[in-house]
């Protein structure tokens, strides 16, 4: 499988996952809206439908905001971890080079 195929496959799977997540969230919103409007007996069917529709829309909007915040936080964490990893690699390389230099110095001193 080429890199392009893998990238396209990952994009396709991400799209499917996004659609499934959105569908599940909409269903959760509908369920929550029905639960919310159930005790409001004085509403007509049209009013109940309107309340449920608005509740579902607000539920979905809040979920999107939450997802956006989560994605932004994940990006910031990824950047922090990448910076820490680069710093660790740099320090390990410096320690390895120092160790090699000391070992070479000891070897030269012993052979002299």
């Amino acid at each position: 499988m080429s890199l392009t195929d893998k990238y396209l496959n990952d994009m396709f799977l991400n799209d499917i996952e996004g659609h499934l997540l959105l569908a599940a969230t909409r269903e959760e919103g509908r369920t929550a809206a029905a639960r919310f409007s159930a005790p409001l007996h004085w509403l007509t069917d049209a009013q109940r439908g309107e309340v449920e529709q608005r509740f579902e829309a607000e539920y979905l909007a809040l979920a999107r905001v939450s997802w956006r915040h989560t994605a932004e936080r994940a990006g910031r964490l990824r950047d922090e971890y990448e910076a820490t990893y680069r710093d660790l690699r740099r320090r390990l390389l410096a320690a390895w080079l120092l160790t090699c230099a000391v070992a070479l110095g000891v070897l030269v001193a012993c052979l002299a």
Side-chain angles (χ1 to χ4, degrees):
M1 177 180 280
S2 73
L3 238 88
T4 304
D5 291 340
K6 182 173 176 8
Y7 176 75
L8 290 175
N9 191 34
D10 288 348
M11 279 183 42
F12 179 69
L13 291 176
N14 287 341
D15 284 348
I16 289 174
E17 184 179 19
H19 288 293
L20 291 174
L21 181 62
L22 183 59
T25 303
R26 284 186 183 198
E27 186 57 36
E28 288 172 4
R30 284 186 205 107
T31 303
R35 250 191 343 262
F36 176 78
S37 67
L40 306 176
H41 302 293
W42 60 88
L43 294 176
T44 66
D45 287 343
Q47 290 171 329
R48 184 178 313 281
E50 173 87 15
V51 166
E52 288 179 2
Q53 211 172 28
R54 288 183 182 206
F55 188 101
E56 180 187 345
E58 187 63 25
Y59 188 92
L60 189 58
L62 288 172
R64 284 186 174 144
V65 168
S66 175
W67 295 336
R68 192 171 298 115
H69 286 293
T70 301
E72 289 169 0
R73 177 67 178 141
R76 286 192 305 269
L77 282 175
R78 183 183 57 243
D79 293 344
E80 287 177 31
Y81 284 126
E82 286 176 356
T84 301
Y85 178 72
R86 280 191 305 272
D87 186 47
L88 178 62
R89 278 186 14 198
R90 193 177 315 114
R91 289 188 307 175
L92 286 172
L93 178 61
W96 183 79
L97 289 173
L98 180 62
T99 303
C100 288
V102 168
L104 184 62
V106 169
L107 181 65
V108 167
C110 288
L111 293 177

